Amino acid sequence: GYAYYVETNLGVNTDLSTIEGREQLGIDTEYEDLSFVQMLKYNADDASCLNLNRIIRPSILGVNEEIFRERNAFSFVGASVKNPTWDILKQTMGKNCIPAVADQTVITWGMGKSLGDSILYLNESGDSIYLVLVGGLGNSVFQGNVLISKHNFEENFPSISGSRVILANVNDKQTELLCQNLEGALRNYGPNIQSAPQRLAMFNSVTNTYLDIFLALGGIALIIGTLGISIIIFRSIQSRKSQYAMMQAIGIPQKYIHKIYTIEFAVILFTGIGIGLVSSILASLQSWITANADVPYLLLLTLIILFFINGLAWILIGSRMSVKSNFLSELRNE
């Protein structure tokens, strides 16, 4: 990845990969491991999770795929070929068809499409061009955009010159210094400079908000649902009064009867949680094994323990309230 994602209002025509170009803008050349990637941009709609509308035509970025391939930058989570690399943007397709990649979340949720689908645009000649989605990226700073090769971009949008999106990277110890330097050097271009973690956190905050809401609602529903355990226990014990009366008649103390049925329903609770847990693991296994999966194991374990404790508490309350009465009168009635 890269340290900074820079977007400008005006195109930067200076080549920042050369020392002369950096000096021309006033960027210090003494940084360690300083590198830039400049991209052309065709402005359209923002398809990131910050836009809740269904997007038809996202903005297009023209990228130099060779730089990303050599750096092994970013990761693919889906593609039309096995072991995809950035060379996927160079493949030859039919007339007016251009290979493109985008964040998988943008493809699925922002545009409602799948790999292999195409997006229709008009180029500057008025011809229809189809951007065919051949790859899906993992969570990246490009969310909201569709990426094509710089060569295809220049062929279809020749009037767009100057890079409006720039990726910058430098030694970790000099990131703050580089940010200040870029703010001054690009002040005439209207820069918006974001650190890569900051930009990703901005996107993730929207996703996490939805997930937190669903998690809270699901947790509340499950906790309320466990109230039914006490009702089931009460009804079960009431329907088996004759059995409890016989146990009391032959001298089994109430505390042992209480223990027997607590264990019985605890086994049912444990089995139910186990079956649900195995089913959920199998259902989400594909997501768990992906390279960029971030599974909150501690949170999941904590929730499972809390649900078990909550269910066990209602078992104890329900069985104690039901078994505390004397059932010998029921036996006499029979």
Side-chain angles (χ1 to χ4, degrees):
Y2 292 82
Y4 288 105
Y5 181 96
V6 183
E7 190 163 356
T8 61
N9 292 326
L10 301 176
V12 179
N13 290 295
T14 305
D15 186 0
L16 298 180
S17 64
T18 64
I19 295 178
E20 294 78 10
R22 296 172 189 173
E23 289 178 342
Q24 182 179 344
L25 281 181
I27 298 176
D28 195 346
T29 59
E30 300 299 323
Y31 293 105
E32 294 181 23
D33 303 324
L34 178 61
S35 61
F36 291 97
V37 177
Q38 296 174 258
M39 289 170 278
L40 303 171
K41 182 175 182 179
Y42 171 82
N43 258 338
D45 297 322
D46 178 15
S48 73
C49 58
L50 301 178
N51 187 354
L52 301 182
N53 299 315
R54 178 59 58 85
I55 300 304
I56 300 177
R57 295 180 183 86
S59 297
I60 304 173
L61 296 181
V63 304
N64 187 337
E65 70 281 356
E66 293 183 359
I67 296 178
F68 286 162
R69 175 176 54 79
E70 293 172 359
R71 187 184 177 90
N72 196 24
F74 308 101
S75 59
F76 288 88
V77 296
S80 58
V81 297
K82 292 183 178 180
N83 302 319
T85 66
W86 284 97
D87 286 338
I88 199 171
L89 295 180
K90 297 168 62 176
Q91 60 181 299
T92 303
M93 309 191 97
K95 183 180 180 181
N96 293 341
C97 291
I98 300 172
V101 301
D103 271 29
Q104 188 63 49
T105 52
V106 171
I107 295 174
T108 304
W109 306 111
M111 296 183 287
K113 294 184 177 293
S114 304
L115 292 179
D117 292 342
S118 60
I119 311 170
L120 173 64
Y121 290 85
L122 291 178
N123 63 17
E124 292 184 357
S125 300
D127 298 326
S128 297
I129 57 174
Y130 298 88
L131 270 58
V132 182
L133 298 169
V134 295
L137 296 174
N139 196 18
S140 76
V141 295
F142 297 123
Q143 188 177 136
N145 301 286
V146 175
L147 283 69
I148 64 175
S149 70
K150 188 176 180 180
H151 171 73
N152 286 327
F153 188 99
E154 291 174 337
E155 277 192 345
N156 290 278
F157 306 101
S159 69
I160 298 179
S161 63
S163 54
R164 290 191 49 203
V165 174
I166 303 171
L167 298 182
N169 197 53
V170 75
N171 185 284
D172 291 341
K173 298 178 181 179
Q174 298 177 306
T175 52
E176 290 294 331
L177 186 61
L178 176 62
C179 180
Q180 297 173 7
N181 197 176
L182 289 175
E183 287 177 352
L186 299 174
R187 62 187 180 278
N188 294 328
Y189 296 91
N192 178 20
I193 303 174
Q194 291 178 299
S195 70
Q198 177 187 2
R199 183 173 173 83
L200 290 174
M202 179 179 64
F203 293 140
N204 290 337
S205 64
V206 178
T207 304
N208 291 338
T209 300
Y210 281 104
L211 293 178
D212 289 342
I213 291 173
F214 288 123
L215 178 63
L217 293 176
I220 292 172
L222 189 55
I223 291 174
I224 294 176
T226 55
L227 294 174
I229 296 177
S230 60
I231 299 174
I232 293 173
I233 294 172
F234 182 80
R235 290 178 59 87
S236 176
I237 293 175
Q238 293 299 314
S239 66
R240 296 158 67 180
K241 285 182 178 181
S242 59
Q243 298 179 22
Y244 305 143
M246 183 62 69
M247 290 181 181
Q248 286 184 338
I250 63 178
I252 299 178
Q254 282 191 358
K255 65 177 182 179
Y256 288 113
I257 298 175
H258 176 261
K259 183 177 180 180
I260 289 171
Y261 288 101
T262 298
I263 294 175
E264 175 185 335
F265 285 101
V267 170
I268 295 174
L269 173 66
F270 183 80
T271 303
I273 291 177
I275 293 174
L277 184 61
V278 171
S279 301
S280 62
I281 290 175
L282 292 176
S284 57
L285 186 61
Q286 185 63 38
S287 299
W288 283 36
I289 61 178
T290 56
N292 63 334
D294 185 13
V295 183
Y297 294 103
L298 182 59
L299 175 61
L300 293 176
L301 181 61
T302 302
L303 290 175
I304 293 170
I305 293 174
L306 287 176
F307 292 147
F308 182 77
I309 293 174
N310 180 70
L312 188 60
W314 285 112
I315 289 174
L316 293 172
I317 294 172
S319 60
R320 186 173 295 277
M321 290 178 62
S322 301
V323 178
K324 68 180 181 180
S325 59
N326 193 319
F327 293 112
L328 291 179
S329 59
E330 297 290 334
L331 188 61
R332 294 191 186 100
N333 292 336
E334 290 189 7

